[in-house]
Structures are given as C-alpha cells and as structure tokens.
Amino acid sequence: MNSSTTKYIFVTGGVTSSLGKGIISASLAKLLQARGYSVTIQKFDPYINIDPGTLNPYEHGECYVTDDGAETDLDLGHYERFLNTPTSQANNVTTGRIYQSVIDKERKGDYLGKTVQVIPHITDEIKNRFQLLGKSGRYQFVITEIGGTVGDIESLPYIEAVRQMKWEHGKDCLVVHLTLLPYLHTTGELKTKPTQHSVKMLLENGVQPDVLVCRSIQSIDEDIRQKIARFCNVAPDAVIEALDAKSIYDVPMLMAKENLDKVVLEKLGLPTDTVTDLKSWEEFLVRLHHPHQKVRVALVGKYIELKDSYKSIAESFVHAGAANDVQVEVEWIHSEDVNDESVSALFEGIRGIVVAPGFGKRGIEGKIVAIRHARENNIPFLGICLGMQCAVIEFARNVLGFKDAHSTEVNPATSHPVIDLQEVQKKITHLGGTMRLGAYPCLIKEGTKAWEVYGHKKEVSERHRHRYEFNNEYLKDFEKAGLKASGTHPEAGLVEIMELKTHPWFVGVQFHPEYKSTVANPHPFFIGFVKAALQYQPQHEVARVQKV
Ligand code: GLN
C-alpha cells in the first residue's frame, strides 16, 4: 500500500472534557474496519509527563500497557478492545515526549544553530509523529485523538499542527469535532451556543471542522441540525447526533445509524457503497443486552472510588459475561474496609473474588484477608499481579506458617521475602528499566487449570507491569503444600501463574490478562473465572439444600 494514500482523521473535543472522544474515535475506527479498511487509532496528550506511567490513577485513571511495553493512556485500551488489533508505543504521544525529542535534537546540533521554536520545530515534530504509523504502510486510516479541550493553552501546538496537516494533505485529511449540546430543563431546549463557540475557537486557530459529533441527552431535530450547520460551516448531514448509550459498545451502531462513516468516506473521496460487516459485533451486543442470568463477583482494590482505575478489568468482565451469556455484576470493595470482622458480611452473596493490581502498602492487609476468605470458602479467586503476590503472602503466612512473610516492596526486613526483586528479572527487563513491562512468553504446564483455561496451549504471551516477583527459593515449600506454579517464563523460570490444587478455582497471575481482553477475544482467564463463579455454590447453601 502506498503510504501517500493514508487518510488522516483528527478527533478534537470542545466545550468540556469527558465527552468520550476515545469512544467516538474507536467507534468510527470500528465502522471503517468493518468496511474492510485497515485502521489504527493514536492518542496525543497535551501534558508534560513523558508517559502516564508515573501518574497516580486518581489523576488519570488506569495506566494501560501495550505489547511493546509502553505505559499509555487508558483510551488505548478502548482502541484495542474495539478493533482487536494491538497498539504500540507509537500510538500514544505526550507533549513531554515531543519536547524531549526536540531538545535531544537541539543538543545533538541537528538544528544547525537555528533558534528552536514552537513553530516550526515543535509543530514539525508533532506532524512527524502524526504520520509515523501512516508511513509504516500498514494503515489506510490513522485516526488521531487530540487529548484535552479546544481552547486549552496546552492544546494549541496540536491544533496548529492539525491546521498544517489539513493544508498539506487536503482531501486526505479530515477533522471531526466532538461537542456538547446542553439541555436546559427550565426551557426544555437543547442549546447550541457552546458548540458555536468551540467551533469559533477552532476557526480562530485556522481549523474548519468537517464533521460535528454532538453529545446530547435528547434527539437533535432538523431545526437544530440546520442551525448548527449554518453557524459552523458544515453540511447538515455532517452534524451527527451522539446520544447517551446504554453501553459503550452500542456507540458504533449509533454512529452507523447517523451515517458517520459514510459522511467521513464521502468527504475523503472514498466509495460509500462498500458493505459493512458488523455481524459478530451485533451478536456480541445481543449477548450483552440479553443475558440468561446474573452473577455477582467482587473486585477488591484500593482505588475503588474511581472506577477508571480498573477500566480494563471492568471491561474484561463485560466481554467474559457476554461470552458466558451472563451479566456480571461487579461489587467494588475497598481493600481498606476488609478485615477479619467485616469479611463475611462484605462478601455475602459474592460468587467470585478478584484482587486487583496495585503498588505500595495501603490496603494490602485487606487484600490478604479477602484472599484467605476465598481460599477457605472455596470461592473462585483470581489474583492479578499484586493480587497474585498477596495470594502468595497469604498462603505463606496461613498455610506454611511463615508469620511475617511479605513482599520486600512493603516490608524489606521480612524474614520470609516470598515476593522479592529477582536478579534474573533484572536481566530480562526491557531497556534496563526497573519494571518488567509489556509482553513476555509464558510456558503452561500440562494438566493444570491454566492449561484448561488456555485450551491446551503450551505457550502464551501476556503483558506485565511490575517490579517484584515470586521468590523461587520458596517454590518447593509452596508446591509441597499445594500452591503450584502452572505458568513460568521459559528462560528465566520466573513464576507467572500459581494455582491451588485443592480448590475448585484459585489462580494468581503475575501478568495482566485484562490488557488483552477484547470484544472479539475475551480473555480466557476472565471467561474461566466467570464460569467458575456461575458454578460456585456457597457451603451454607449446599447444607441448606441437603437438610431439606
Ligand atoms: N507492586 C507490585 C510490583 O511492582 C505489583 C504491581 C502491579 O500489581 N501491577 O511488583
């Protein structure tokens, strides 16, 4: 494919943040992909951090990790879940990264003594990054979501770079502007003024949007469409209504109904009569919206107030629920609320427990109590990353009798460092950083739960984001007592999966299965966990039935 034929679509946001640019971008990409085009989506974030890896989840929600070990914005998770194609480091760029490479070039003397300025040097670097994936020749469409809201000081260089791209690429470049039509209850009207103002702001920066996607809680009638079209210089059919949806996965269908893909194709000079194949997506939606039963599971974590912190886990449950024809109701339980006194009441009626990933000390003891509850009551359990590490600590303390067992992340002075930094880990860590990030192979032992879960695969690849590891010096003790390693790194022997032989479904994984769950490919560990939760019957209920 000739890279000069790559079409560039930019998605900007106006009026307010949190309008769902990520979901609109992913939905448009889905519709184009369903017409047979190769599409990728990238996100440009206007903050100075090099990547969101160092950001507190309270600040920015979950940090999503790609196969190549990039710590990225959570919107990349949506892109992968919708498109079922992996993203990479190149799909998430921040202002920090742009400035870093410009400054590096300046230090190397690449600018030949010129004064280095926002225009053209920063904007050139932005334009280069805009086109990096397009120039790889792998994509017919590159959709770029510009983070932030039009009018922010930070966004200006990006909007300027979009202006230049439009000028240079003409018909191969298009801008979709996402905006809000607030509804005034007192007058019972949708108001268009904020939209007019945000388009004016774009125009002041030299960018004429081609398509307006208008978030609204009410249908947009013909009059409003005409009015927006007239004030904002767009065709009435390019004013797209985006109503609140029951699920984010309904949005591609809503956008198809509004002909968003057709309008975009027309404007880019491409045929609009190609067939859209959304059959499997529609089948997924039927299963999602018409579950046969419900199952309640708990997610134990320390960022429960902000559900975006566990976005990929929540979405993995949606995928795995649909795969099992059930609705998974997730009870979010704060790890700091769990203790020996509260545990039974907190987990009443819960059919499965997931212990979330995390860093640091806060909430660890609560997680350990929750795991003991799952282990002793045969409740299906999935421990993810720190969740697996806590399962190891719990087992060491309460089964092996190593009373002060801990991870050296929390207690460096423990006499039983069952989770520790491993020399061998340091050797396989990408780029010499201290974190194990991105995809690593994992060998699966035959005849184990993991073997069953993965459908008898000998080797799988999963994504990691952690520093500490299971301490193999203790492996014999654990295996003798029943907690066995069922997945290991092929060369380093690092333990990637542990499972309890004497329990119906008790698994800890050092990696993050949630990063790889998509609509088309729900992760087998979440499917298996939900299946086990459906089969679980609490002992007191079994006893009651027997008595009757
Ligand atoms: N804090 C743990 C570690 O660094 C676990 C990290 C995680 O759960 N992602 O090893």
Side-chain angles (χ1 to χ4, degrees), residues 49-285:
N49 305 60
I50 298 295
D51 62 40
T54 52
L55 284 172
N56 184 323
Y58 285 121
E59 286 280 321
H60 209 68
E62 169 188 275
C63 173
Y64 184 77
V65 177
T66 58
D67 276 335
D68 64 350
E71 294 180 282
T72 72
D73 186 82
L74 60 79
D75 272 335
L76 271 77
H78 289 309
Y79 308 161
E80 289 203 12
R81 290 187 279 272
F82 275 59
L83 297 183
N84 196 38
T85 52
T87 53
S88 68
Q89 180 77 70
N91 293 73
N92 194 194
V93 176
T94 66
T95 294
R97 205 174 279 282
I98 299 278
Y99 270 81
Q100 192 181 44
S101 48
V102 169
I103 291 167
D104 285 349
K105 281 184 198 160
E106 186 272 336
R107 291 290 85 185
K108 279 199 289 174
D110 289 0
Y111 297 114
L112 306 172
K114 284 243 179 317
T115 310
V116 180
Q117 294 178 299
V118 173
I119 302 171
H121 302 103
I122 294 294
T123 47
D124 278 353
E125 187 64 30
I126 294 174
K127 281 195 294 175
N128 286 341
R129 298 279 179 141
F130 278 166
Q131 297 170 82
L132 208 62
L133 288 166
K135 285 184 176 155
S136 73
R138 287 182 306 180
Y139 304 106
Q140 289 158 299
F141 283 91
V142 175
I143 299 180
T144 306
E145 179 190 344
I146 307 285
T149 308
V150 168
D152 295 346
I153 292 174
E154 291 94 328
S155 306
L156 276 174
Y158 293 101
I159 303 298
E160 167 59 14
V162 170
R163 184 192 69 76
Q164 294 180 23
M165 284 286 291
K166 275 202 105 178
W167 177 249
E168 288 158 17
H169 291 258
K171 254 221 167 294
D172 291 332
C173 185
L174 176 136
V175 173
V176 175
H177 186 56
L178 178 61
T179 167
L180 174 72
L181 299 182
Y183 178 76
L184 278 196
H185 286 278
T186 41
T187 53
E189 288 175 299
L190 287 173
K191 306 305 286 183
T192 64
K193 197 71 84 188
T195 294
Q196 294 177 39
H197 277 297
S198 80
V199 170
K200 242 184 216 139
M201 199 110 61
L202 268 177
L203 288 169
E204 271 171 29
N205 295 316
V207 175
Q208 167 66 57
D210 302 281
V211 179
L212 293 176
V213 175
C214 305
R215 283 297 302 272
S216 159
I217 56 164
Q218 269 214 350
S219 228
I220 305 175
D221 65 25
E222 201 40 44
D223 279 356
I224 294 183
R225 238 179 251 264
Q226 291 290 348
K227 187 173 174 186
I228 296 171
R230 192 174 319 118
F231 277 106
C232 302
N233 317 328
V234 296
D237 70 348
V239 177
I240 305 287
E241 157 190 295
L243 297 172
D244 292 351
K246 214 162 130 195
S247 150
I248 54 171
Y249 300 109
D250 289 319
V251 179
M253 299 338 243
L254 295 180
M255 290 303 103
K257 235 200 244 153
E258 282 286 294
N259 290 325
L260 174 62
D261 52 335
K262 266 198 189 146
V263 171
V264 162
L265 289 171
E266 224 161 56
K267 290 196 181 298
L268 290 169
L270 291 166
T272 55
D273 54 0
T274 46
V275 183
T276 312
D277 179 8
L278 283 166
K279 199 163 164 278
S280 57
W281 193 269
E282 280 166 358
E283 284 166 2
F284 161 77
L285 288 178

Side-chain angles (χ1 to χ4, degrees), residues 357-360 384-386 389 409 465-468 512:
F359 291 82
I384 302 176
C385 207
L386 180 65
Q389 297 176 356
E409 179 183 9
R465 183 179 186 240
H466 56 101
R467 276 190 190 90
Y468 294 81
H512 291 259

Side-chain angles (χ1 to χ4, degrees), residues 2-39:
N2 182 348
S3 67
S4 67
T5 60
T6 303
K7 305 285 187 190
Y8 292 95
I9 300 174
F10 294 94
V11 179
T12 57
V15 182
T16 171
S17 57
S18 305
L19 288 182
K21 282 193 301 275
I23 301 298
I24 293 295
S25 305
S27 299
L28 173 57
K30 184 78 224 168
L31 295 179
L32 295 171
Q33 187 193 51
R35 284 175 181 268
Y37 290 110
S38 53
V39 191

